[in-house]
Amino acid sequence: MADIPDRRARRRAETQAEILGIALGVMAEEGVAGLSLATVARRLGVRPPSLYKYFPSRHAVYDALFKLGQEGYLAAVRGPGEPGLRGMGASLEAGARWIMDNQVLAQLLFWRPVPGFTPSPESYAPALAIHEHFATLIGQAVARGELHPDAASEEGLALAASLIAGPISQQLANEPDATYEEGRFTRLVPRLPAVFAAVYPPP
């Protein structure tokens, strides 16, 4: 009997994961802001009030998806594990590939498509870890003489975060079905560290 709470917790987690998967499917069809819990409930085979046992509101579903997406993106950019400017480039490329493979989640994470939705501090925590990851790489690049110390300033970090937004936004707007290798704009991602270094050349 001791394992009953564990089994219940497992079943609950499995149902929540199923709900989130269905929600992603609805968002892919109807647009990120077009999520309908009634549609999710119908596809799950339950009445809408039953969903509230797992997520108390539509925004709670968005919040769980935001956390899931940020954790996925964080894992992707941390994956290469290389230091300095080379590591920055590898992380940008890994992140861009993740975005191309997870376009619905990426819209929720980076483009604020849902009016009134603000992620909870818990769900936003991985985004802060992502910022810290790139700050560490840029700091390493400064220490290695690859970048000017100003690259590690708040302005420099803001520019670094903005670099990836341009090519990815253009890619998703113009060629969302292209692969990372085929995309006119994703092909530019490997050049971004050189662009950043041109703005902050080593002293």
Side-chain angles (χ1 to χ4, degrees), residues 38-142:
T39 302
V40 173
R42 185 173 65 252
R43 294 185 183 184
L44 188 64
V46 302
R47 294 182 177 275
S50 298
L51 288 184
Y52 299 139
K53 295 187 298 185
Y54 302 98
F55 297 99
S57 67
R58 179 169 169 263
H59 276 199
V61 175
Y62 282 128
D63 196 59
L65 288 171
F66 188 94
K67 183 173 186 287
L68 182 69
Q70 291 287 7
E71 289 173 343
Y73 187 73
L74 174 61
V77 299
R78 279 179 171 171
E82 298 183 62
L85 201 59
R86 183 173 179 178
M88 178 184 175
S91 289
L92 287 173
E93 180 173 345
R97 289 179 180 276
W98 184 92
I99 289 172
M100 292 302 295
D101 290 338
N102 298 273
Q103 294 183 29
V104 175
L105 274 178
Q107 290 176 54
L108 181 64
L109 303 188
F110 304 120
W111 283 277
R112 293 183 176 267
V114 183
F117 169 65
T118 301
S120 65
E122 179 185 1
S123 294
Y124 195 71
L128 299 178
I130 292 165
H131 176 82
E132 184 59 32
H133 170 72
F134 281 101
T136 297
L137 291 176
I138 290 171
Q140 291 172 347
V142 170

Side-chain angles (χ1 to χ4, degrees), residues 23 26-37 39-40 58 62 113-115:
V26 174
M27 290 158 61
E29 295 168 12
E30 306 296 335
V32 175
L35 176 62
S36 163
L37 293 191
T39 302
V40 173
R58 179 169 169 263
Y62 282 128
V114 183

